Amino acid sequence: MTRRLCSLPRQPAPSFGPGLTAERLGALLAGRRMWVNGTVLHYCFLDADRDASVIPVPGTGELRRVPWAGGKEQQDVVRECFAQWEALGVGVAFAEVGERGEAELRIGFQAGGGSWSAVGREALAVGRAERTMNLGWDVTAQGERGTVLHEIGHALGLVHEHQNPSAGLHWDDEAVYAELAGPPNHWSRETTYTNVLRALDAGESRGAVWDPCSVMALPFGPGLVLEPERYRGGLRPAGTLSDPDREFVLRWYPPAGGCGPQPLVPFRSAPLALGPGEQADFLVEPPETRDYTVGTFGDGDTVLVVFEEREGEPRFLAGHDDGGTPDNAAVRVRLVRGRRYVVRVRLYSTWGSGRTAVMCW
């Protein structure tokens, strides 16, 4: 029997400079998606009388208005799953609030609306009256807790693990399209391509080793994967948080003690105590409004992203990839006094002394 699967809409990619490799472009995209470490993510359940929308009845083409509210039992499963992610020791926290205007994550339970979530900071671009997550079937049923853990993973910025290019999965494309066009998913070809068949850019995925047991991998029955041979009988993740899930999310969100962005004071450098594949956030509060140069120097192969949040919306300002050369990564950006900016640096490798620093001047 085909399982109900998570579906995400394809987001348009922002524009970056020419000449970036797919891996480096993916790193810039991932840097935009992840929360600043130390963030408290507030969530609420949308259950007012007005919380509803018109959706097609799967498989019929008819339209009907379906509420977003869920029962206490479903809400309790979500609360428990937030606690399970937080128990990993991640450097972000979750807090339930009653007012949707205070919540970055707004959760509905619209039956027939599919299960999906905004990915990471994409939630900030969603209108305050709208959902950032929907759980479209009974998550209290046996085996469905994994659906909630999966969607919270998306809310933290994680993407589908079965689309990791390191998986090396060779799908029978037409068999996949046919399988997911039928019940219970009723997916279009575009939805199937976006959520299953499209391989992610190398930097956008979690890395060079894929995890078939990840809670971010979707289950598939036999006859859909052609190669590797061992997956011809299907992919069957357990629906629980795997050890690699924990390791990956802790690289982005280190636990308390290393929690929160480090201050980056203009004209004073900050060392990058990073290993290859790790990233760090630095907070800049400029003392005056003017053009600043932000960059890295030393022996690191880095990608650098600068962004701000203005009126609750994420705003990418600049990004630079040093191209894996000894050249330093630097960008020129205009910073405004009284606003907060985050400089995110991802380290790929080191050479020489191995020392790298970031600076704003």
Side-chain angles (χ1 to χ4, degrees), residues 71-341:
K72 181 180 182 302
E73 295 80 4
Q74 298 224 80
Q75 294 179 4
D76 285 344
V77 170
V78 176
R79 295 181 180 106
E80 291 165 7
C81 288
F82 273 120
Q84 193 170 340
W85 272 107
E86 195 167 1
L88 296 181
V90 295
V92 293
F94 303 105
E96 184 177 350
V97 295
E99 294 295 328
R100 67 190 66 201
E102 300 174 5
E104 294 84 13
L105 310 180
R106 297 175 296 280
I107 304 166
F109 298 87
Q110 186 182 51
S115 288
W116 48 265
S117 173
V119 179
R121 287 164 43 87
E122 292 173 1
L124 297 177
V126 178
R128 289 288 179 172
E130 299 297 322
R131 294 162 293 173
T132 67
M133 182 187 299
N134 190 70
L135 299 165
W137 50 83
D138 183 7
V139 296
T140 68
Q142 184 177 2
E144 292 297 347
R145 181 178 294 263
T147 297
V148 184
L149 292 171
H150 179 100
E151 301 307 339
I152 295 175
H154 283 316
L156 285 169
L158 279 66
V159 292
H160 283 151
E161 180 63 4
H162 57 274
Q163 294 179 269
N164 188 331
S166 300
L169 295 175
H170 180 200
W171 299 91
D172 183 335
D173 291 8
E174 291 305 320
V176 175
Y177 284 129
E179 179 78 9
L180 298 183
N185 294 290
H186 300 285
W187 280 3
S188 67
R189 290 178 71 91
E190 179 182 3
T191 298
T192 297
Y193 177 77
T194 298
N195 289 277
V196 180
L197 299 178
R198 183 179 75 93
L200 300 172
D201 292 332
E204 195 178 0
S205 63
R206 72 167 56 187
V209 179
W210 91 293
D211 175 19
C213 297
S214 171
V215 78
M216 301 311 298
L218 296 181
F220 296 95
L224 303 181
V225 175
L226 298 175
E227 300 292 340
E229 184 177 354
R230 64 183 176 276
Y231 297 120
R232 291 179 185 173
L235 297 175
R236 297 181 180 85
T240 57
L241 300 176
S242 69
D243 288 341
D245 284 334
R246 180 180 186 275
E247 293 166 5
F248 178 76
V249 79
L250 286 178
R251 285 203 300 271
W252 280 101
Y253 305 119
C259 193
Q262 304 173 48
L264 182 61
V265 180
F267 301 103
R268 191 181 305 165
S269 66
L272 286 173
L274 301 176
E278 296 180 342
Q279 67 90 36
D281 292 330
F282 296 85
L283 179 66
V284 180
E285 297 181 289
E288 57 182 308
T289 299
R290 63 174 177 82
D291 291 340
Y292 289 81
T293 299
V294 183
T296 62
F297 57 93
D299 294 330
D301 168 13
T302 58
V303 167
L304 177 144
V305 181
V306 183
F307 60 85
E308 69 169 319
E309 289 183 11
R310 187 185 300 180
E311 297 177 351
E313 300 293 332
R315 182 183 176 192
F316 170 82
L317 293 183
H320 185 80
D321 167 20
D322 68 8
T325 70
D327 297 335
N328 295 322
V331 294
R332 191 75 172 165
V333 291
R334 186 165 187 81
L335 305 183
V336 178
R337 180 181 178 181
R339 295 180 184 164
R340 290 158 58 98
Y341 301 84

